[in-house]
């Protein structure tokens, strides 16, 4: 539920609940008073009470319209008495202080008491002939501009008394229940909003002190839920960015130490051979040529390493655009194999392609960059070959969504637990470090290139029987 709707509902409840309570209490009141107190509170008695009030007003108007003479008229008196008989009341009319007219059955004491009480504006009921009367008086101005007053004495019935009590009770019950319901509703409303907000506050306090692992749970109304979900998104982004920053920092440190280490080895050896030449150790033309050849090889190694590093960091930053071309994958691999066949043969390694593609033939690849991937994998198979009869087989097969290229060799193999690590930059197994030459960037570059083709690259270890490097590419 959203806060606006909740507010409307709660405000409506604040009015409706007291109304319902008041109606129920009024019914109970009427039921109790008519069943147990014998009073007759119904529509008719209510009508009677209102009727009496309106009759009194009419009589007052009539008196004000008439003059001395007509008030003393027998007809007018009869008219007044007939009107008053409905209410069973009495009347006293005074003009300029003297009594002009009064109902029968009233003795002087009653008249004096009535006028005294009217003068004093007393609300006390008057007791005449075993009946309590309530007094109401009106000032009037006669036609001859003289002033006077009309005093009505209306018998106080049980009903009118109960009516007053009923109306009073209704008002009290309504206001009391209104106050109680308002307080209860405000309390519930504030809890519905305050509890989720305090939870959110706690969570943000955790974020503030750098604890980014506790999830912000969505609770409360729509707006607060949205706020929680925004905070949760922010927490995840913040956590990820801190994680990435730490990872980048670690990588940078590793990169610097790896570069300095890997460059130092060939540089030290170049330095050694140069010193050898300068110190005259290379004292024959053959020795000199040998030293220079080694220096040349080491220089090329450094050059290749720096080129690989540059390529890797450019790929990592997404600065190298791919030039995708529609390519017949079977033909492409045959060409790659042809290209490396001669070199591999020198190391007594056989290479062949098993193309099992039947449905798909063409794929969008950057031929030049993909060639680099394949050559590095083949180069690894050559470098880490420990068998006399080396074998490399390239299997190309397909499933519904993609093709899988598997380059399998029967070399020294890699340990099962290192199959993921070999794609990390600068990773080289201990044996690789001591034997063959390389910087440990080849497969990291291959991974960048394959992922640039929306593909995946992974390795399967066959133990000491060799290694498979697999590449999957999504079908066009
Ligand atoms: N076919 C394989 N057989 C055994 N080990 C392998 C094979 N391919 C890769 N490796 C292991 O994975 C490591 C990383 O390979 P990668 O190609 O990234 O680096 P490298 O060959 O050592 O250096 P570079 O390719 O930069 O010259 C290698 O050092 C080696 O330990
Ligand atoms: Mg390599």
């Amino acid at each position: 539920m959203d806060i606006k709707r909740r507010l409307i509902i709660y405000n409506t409840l604040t009015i409706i609940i007291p109304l319902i309570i008041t109606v129920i209490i009024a019914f109970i009141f009427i039921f109790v008073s008519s069943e147990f107190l014998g009073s007759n509170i119904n529509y008719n008695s209510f009508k009677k009470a209102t009727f009496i009030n309106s009759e009194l007003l009419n009589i007052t108007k009539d008196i004000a319209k008439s003059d001395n003479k007509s008030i003393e008229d027998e007809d007018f008196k009869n008219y007044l008495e007939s009107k008053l008989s409905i209410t069973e009341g009495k009347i006293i009319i005074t003009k300029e202080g003297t009594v002009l007219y009064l109902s029968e059955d009233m003795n002087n004491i009653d008249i004096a008491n009535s006028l005294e009480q009217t003068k004093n504006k007393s609300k006390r009921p008057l007791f005449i002939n075993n009946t309590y009367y309530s007094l109401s008086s009106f000032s009037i101005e006669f036609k001859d501009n003289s002033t006077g007053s009309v005093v009505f004495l209306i018998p106080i019935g049980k009903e009118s008394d109960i009516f007053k009590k009923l109306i009073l009770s209704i008002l009290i019950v309504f206001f009391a229940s209104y106050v109680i319901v308002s307080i209860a509703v405000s309390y519930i409303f504030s809890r519905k909003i305050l509890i989720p907000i305090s939870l959110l506050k706690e969570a943000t306090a955790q974020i503030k002190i750098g604890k980014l692992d506790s999830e912000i749970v969505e609770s409360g109304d729509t707006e607060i839920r949205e706020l929680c979900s925004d905070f949760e998104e922010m927490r995840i982004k913040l956590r990820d960015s801190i994680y990435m920053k730490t990872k980048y920092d670690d990588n940078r440190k590793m990169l610097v130490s790896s570069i300095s280490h890997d460059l130092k080895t060939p540089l030290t050896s170049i330095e050694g051979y140069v010193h050898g030449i300068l110190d005259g150790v290379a004292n024959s033309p053959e020795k000199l040529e040998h030293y220079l050849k080694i220096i040349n090889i080491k220089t090329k190694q450094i050059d290749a390493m720096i080129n690989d590093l540059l390529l890797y960091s450019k790929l990592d930053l997404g600065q190298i655009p791919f030039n995708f071309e529609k390519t017949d994958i079977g033909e492409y691999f045959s060409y790659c194999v042809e290209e490396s066949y001669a070199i591999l043969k020198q190391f007594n390694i056989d290479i062949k392609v098993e193309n099992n593609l039947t449905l798909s033939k063409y794929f969008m690849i950057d031929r030049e960059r993909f060639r680099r991937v394949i050559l590095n994998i083949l180069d690894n198979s050559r470098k880490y070959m420990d068998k006399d009869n080396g074998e490399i087989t390239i299997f190309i097969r397909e499933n519904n969504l993609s093709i899988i290229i598997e380059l399998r060799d029967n070399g020294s193999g890699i340990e099962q637990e290192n199959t993921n690590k070999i794609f990390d930059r600068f990773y080289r197994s201990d044996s690789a470090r001591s034997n063959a030459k390389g910087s440990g960037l080849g497969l990291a570059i291959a991974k960048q290139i394959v992922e640039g083709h929306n593909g995946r690259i992974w390795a399967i270890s066959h133990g000491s029987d060799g290694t498979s490097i697999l590449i999957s590419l999504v079908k066009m």
Side-chain angles (χ1 to χ4, degrees), residues 353-466:
V353 182
E354 258 190 52
N355 185 358
N356 297 315
L357 293 185
T358 49
L359 302 170
S360 309
K361 199 172 174 190
Y362 294 102
F363 282 82
M364 294 299 284
I365 57 169
D366 181 327
R367 289 182 206 164
E368 195 42 48
R369 306 247 170 264
F370 218 79
R371 188 171 148 266
R372 202 186 154 107
V373 175
I374 307 304
L375 290 186
N376 176 63
I377 296 170
L378 296 179
D379 189 43
N380 283 349
S381 295
R382 176 191 63 76
K383 279 198 289 188
Y384 309 113
M385 178 59 69
D386 60 349
K387 314 283 182 315
D388 290 338
N389 293 316
E391 266 175 30
I392 301 172
T393 314
I394 302 175
F395 300 97
I396 309 172
R397 51 180 184 270
E398 67 190 309
N399 59 31
N400 286 348
L401 300 172
S402 53
I403 57 157
I404 293 166
I405 302 143
E406 178 181 352
L407 298 102
R408 180 173 180 159
D409 65 37
N410 63 343
S412 59
I414 44 176
E415 280 150 20
Q416 182 65 46
E417 64 266 27
N418 293 335
T419 46
N420 282 332
K421 288 189 196 155
I422 60 170
F423 299 98
D424 292 348
R425 58 193 175 190
F426 301 117
Y427 174 81
R428 306 191 71 213
S429 73
D430 293 338
S431 54
R433 245 171 234 289
S434 52
N435 297 326
K437 295 166 184 69
S439 61
L441 276 170
L443 286 177
I445 291 172
K447 188 175 181 211
Q448 295 272 16
I449 294 173
V450 171
E451 284 175 357
H453 284 72
N454 281 331
R456 225 165 66 76
I457 183 166
W458 70 103
I460 293 176
S461 161
H462 304 290
S464 56
D465 290 341

Side-chain angles (χ1 to χ4, degrees), residues 294-354:
I294 293 175
I295 291 171
N296 189 27
I297 291 168
K298 297 285 170 192
T299 318
K300 279 185 179 158
Q301 244 178 44
I302 294 175
D303 188 49
M305 208 181 280
I306 289 172
N307 282 340
D308 276 358
L309 250 172
L310 280 176
L311 176 66
Y312 176 82
S313 64
K314 276 184 182 169
L315 283 165
D316 198 26
L317 295 170
Q319 284 179 348
I320 292 205
F322 287 97
N323 175 28
F324 295 108
E325 287 168 290
K326 192 175 174 185
T327 310
D328 181 328
I329 274 293
E331 260 180 27
Y332 180 78
F333 273 92
S334 304
Y335 167 75
C336 287
V337 165
E338 233 170 75
E339 201 185 356
S340 26
Y341 185 82
I343 303 166
L344 292 171
K345 204 73 208 158
Q346 283 176 20
F347 293 87
N348 207 19
I349 298 172
D350 235 12
I351 180 162
K352 59 178 191 283
V353 182
E354 258 190 52

Side-chain angles (χ1 to χ4, degrees), residues 266-281:
L267 273 176
T268 316
S269 117
I270 291 173
E271 197 186 14
Y273 285 103
V274 170
H275 274 301
I277 296 169
L278 290 176
D279 295 347
V281 181

Side-chain angles (χ1 to χ4, degrees), residues 263-293:
L263 286 181
K264 210 169 173 301
T265 321
L267 273 176
T268 316
S269 117
I270 291 173
E271 197 186 14
Y273 285 103
V274 170
H275 274 301
I277 296 169
L278 290 176
D279 295 347
V281 181
N283 46 14
S284 66
E286 291 80 30
K287 262 192 181 173
L288 185 66
E289 195 188 339
H290 177 67
Y291 276 30
L292 288 173
K293 267 184 183 162

Side-chain angles (χ1 to χ4, degrees), residues 31-42:
F31 176 77
V32 169
S33 57
S34 48
E35 284 293 312
F36 301 107
L37 305 175
S39 56
N40 184 21
I41 304 178
N42 54 26

